[in-house]
Amino acid sequence: MKFKKEFSFAGIFKKISNYFFDCLYVLICTIVFNLVGIKVLEITPNYLNNKSVVNETVNDIYKMESEAKLIDLYDLNNKKVNEPISSDDLFIKYINQHLIKAYNEGSKEIFKNIDEIDLSIYSEASIDNDYLAYFYVTFIPNNLDKGFVIDYSTTPIIYFNNTILNPLRSNYDYFSFNENDFYYLKEEYASDLYSYLYLNSNNETGKVIFENLKEFFIDTLNNSFSLFNNYTPFKEAYEVYNTHFNELVKESVITNTLSYLISFIILMVVIPLVNKDFYTLGELSSKTRLFDYKDRKIKFYQPLIKSIFFFIEIYWVNIVVSVFTIGSIGLSFSLFNIGNFSFTIFYLILISMFILVINIVFGIINKDKRLFEEYISNTILFEYKKVRDIDSIVNKND
């Protein structure tokens, strides 16, 4: 093969640079088209219907969870919030309610300077407002005919004390019981916990109590949610939600794919065909050109063959687009959701990444540093440094 001295074989890093630029332009163009596509998608009747059903079902689910006292949709001023209060904030409310309960049940002298601390925003812990006890003592017994499978061989409150509290009591005997069999913090533990929260954050004993109770609270709450998953109204609502939500995500992922396809056709097919040297924007940016491997001027079909391979090789771009435009939900749907559509996407992405790695390794180990798409299109990539008029070089090499 003979080329003028102005040309040299493009090394593997130069080819990666060319790959990077082409991939970057496709990615940017895909994101732009996708953002436009999503805006168009959002006004279609099917999308609007799915979105409406999802929002309504979410509200129904939140309402059921709130009725079961598993979440709280109201702040401390009893003002409704847009999203459920986090489990960490629920725990803070829970622990303060039990501090007030301990204050009312025991010796008030252990709560130093309590008058200087505004605890009036919290109510005293009771079965009706306890985030853990209410679910087992009240909600499940009132709904046993709706999917819950629990054997209350004793009263619900004894079930709660023996089944839920016992694991904690076997390790940390933090609670006593009043005449109504409702649990409350023992004075010595309430004192240290109160001190840690409001008087002395360096109280190590109080910190340990706080962390242990928090672990107990989160574990019990999660266990409650597991049981709640069998609650028939919840299961029915969640099935409706999941069906319509997946439709929304599927439509968005399809929009991503179409945006990628349009971007690829414009950048890797149309642009090379409209210029007589058949170069891509990536080749222009990396200062490289594609030539026929046998020292002849390149034919129009050769870069097209190369582009078809490149199309598969950079399909993983859809992951980036999904994360950028619809967040981690799009990524999860593309990679992990059950269903023929999503598994097709998963395999395409997996194949795409696999081919990319193999292609780079292939380019490193062969003597001409040709990538696989150069072999199948019978081309080779050259870089140029001195030439200002690429046409003159092509003419010299014809």
Side-chain angles (χ1 to χ4, degrees):
M1 180 184 313
K2 297 179 181 178
F3 279 85
K4 297 295 182 180
K5 63 181 181 180
E6 289 88 350
F7 283 94
S8 62
F9 289 107
I12 188 63
F13 291 109
K14 196 70 173 179
K15 293 182 179 183
I16 292 175
S17 172
N18 172 47
Y19 175 94
F20 169 79
F21 280 116
D22 273 330
C23 187
L24 179 64
Y25 296 139
V26 171
L27 173 61
I28 293 173
C29 194
T30 301
I31 290 175
V32 171
F33 278 120
N34 189 75
L35 291 175
V36 174
I38 292 293
K39 291 297 181 183
V40 174
L41 179 65
E42 288 176 348
I43 62 175
T44 60
N46 190 57
Y47 188 94
L48 291 173
N49 176 64
N50 285 326
K51 185 176 181 180
S52 175
V53 172
V54 165
N55 290 336
E56 291 175 5
T57 312
V58 166
N59 289 334
D60 291 341
I61 289 174
Y62 283 168
K63 183 179 178 181
M64 283 185 276
E65 292 173 341
S66 180
E67 289 172 350
K69 296 290 197 300
L70 297 179
I71 65 172
D72 201 336
L73 296 173
Y74 295 86
D75 63 16
L76 293 174
N77 296 314
N78 205 33
K79 181 180 178 182
K80 191 170 184 178
V81 293
N82 294 328
E83 295 289 338
I85 297 172
S86 69
S87 57
D88 286 344
D89 290 336
L90 283 181
F91 174 68
I92 295 299
K93 291 180 68 174
Y94 168 84
I95 207 66
N96 278 288
Q97 288 171 340
H98 276 274
L99 282 177
I100 295 173
K101 183 70 176 176
Y103 174 79
N104 291 332
E105 291 281 351
S107 173
K108 295 177 172 51
E109 286 76 16
I110 65 173
F111 291 87
K112 299 176 182 179
N113 304 322
I114 193 170
D115 293 335
E116 300 175 10
I117 300 168
D118 185 14
L119 293 179
S120 62
I121 56 177
Y122 301 104
S123 55
E124 180 181 332
S126 67
I127 289 178
D128 288 336
N129 66 20
D130 186 283
Y131 293 111
L132 304 184
Y134 178 86
F135 181 70
Y136 295 94
V137 176
T138 304
F139 188 80
I140 293 180
N142 290 342
N143 295 278
L144 273 175
D145 59 335
K146 296 181 180 178
F148 291 117
V149 183
I150 289 186
D151 180 17
Y152 284 113
S153 56
T154 58
T155 64
I157 196 165
I158 293 176
Y159 172 88
F160 175 77
N161 292 339
N162 292 340
T163 306
I164 307 302
L165 284 182
N166 262 346
L168 178 70
R169 289 158 63 190
S170 62
N171 296 310
Y172 315 105
D173 192 19
Y174 292 148
F175 294 104
S176 294
F177 295 87
N178 60 19
E179 64 274 10
N180 296 319
D181 289 329
F182 189 70
Y183 70 116
Y184 63 93
L185 279 167
K186 292 181 177 179
E187 286 185 0
E188 61 269 30
Y189 300 114
S191 176
D192 283 317
L193 186 58
Y194 172 77
S195 173
Y196 169 70
L197 288 174
Y198 293 107
L199 303 178
N200 179 18
S201 60
N202 293 321
N203 186 320
E204 289 298 324
T205 303
K207 182 179 180 180
V208 170
I209 296 171
F210 179 88
E211 295 297 336
N212 288 337
L213 287 176
K214 184 176 181 180
E215 182 180 3
F216 160 70
F217 179 85
I218 299 297
D219 288 346
T220 304
L221 199 62
N222 288 337
N223 182 63
S224 301
F225 273 113
S226 296
L227 290 172
F228 189 77
N229 287 339
N230 291 319
Y231 182 49
T232 301
F234 170 80
K235 290 170 67 176
E236 292 173 349
Y238 185 78
E239 184 177 350
V240 173
Y241 160 81
N242 196 50
T243 299
H244 288 271
F245 179 78
N246 281 341
E247 283 298 314
L248 287 177
V249 178
K250 182 185 292 187
E251 290 172 4
S252 298
V253 172
I254 290 174
T255 303
N256 289 350
T257 304
L258 291 176
S259 300
Y260 168 72
L261 180 61
I262 294 171
S263 301
F264 188 89
I265 291 174
I266 292 174
L267 294 174
M268 303 303 295
V269 177
V270 175
I271 289 180
L273 287 180
V274 297
N275 70 81
K276 58 184 178 181
D277 295 318
F278 306 111
Y279 57 79
T280 66
L281 295 182
E283 291 169 4
L284 192 64
S285 299
S286 61
K287 296 182 179 180
T288 58
R289 285 294 185 272
L290 197 67
F291 285 94
D292 185 279
Y293 188 64
K294 295 181 178 179
D295 198 15
R296 294 192 300 270
K297 188 174 181 179
I298 194 168
K299 309 296 189 301
F300 78 91
Y301 59 83
Q302 290 176 291
L304 290 181
I305 295 173
K306 179 175 178 291
S307 292
I308 291 172
F309 186 88
F310 189 72
F311 174 85
I312 301 172
E313 192 178 27
I314 66 167
Y315 190 82
W316 58 267
V317 162
N318 270 299
I319 289 183
V320 181
V321 177
S322 291
V323 172
F324 185 85
T325 55
I326 55 178
S328 59
I329 295 171
L331 174 62
S332 298
F333 185 91
S334 297
L335 296 183
F336 307 117
N337 196 50
I338 301 300
N340 292 333
F341 178 79
S342 55
F343 267 109
T344 301
I345 294 176
F346 170 76
Y347 286 127
L348 285 174
I349 290 172
L350 192 65
I351 292 170
S352 171
M353 291 181 168
F354 179 76
I355 290 176
L356 172 60
V357 173
I358 295 300
N359 199 22
I360 292 175
V361 173
F362 185 79
I364 292 174
I365 62 176
N366 74 83
K367 65 176 183 178
D368 290 335
K369 307 304 178 187
R370 293 169 76 196
L371 299 177
F372 187 72
E373 62 259 39
E374 293 175 83
Y375 269 93
I376 62 175
S377 61
N378 197 32
T379 59
I380 188 168
L381 198 67
F382 277 75
E383 63 175 310
Y384 63 96
K385 299 178 181 179
K386 301 179 181 180
V387 179
R388 295 182 179 179
D389 182 9
I390 192 67
D391 289 336
S392 64
I393 297 301
V394 172
N395 292 334
K396 289 177 183 178
N397 286 281
D398 282 345

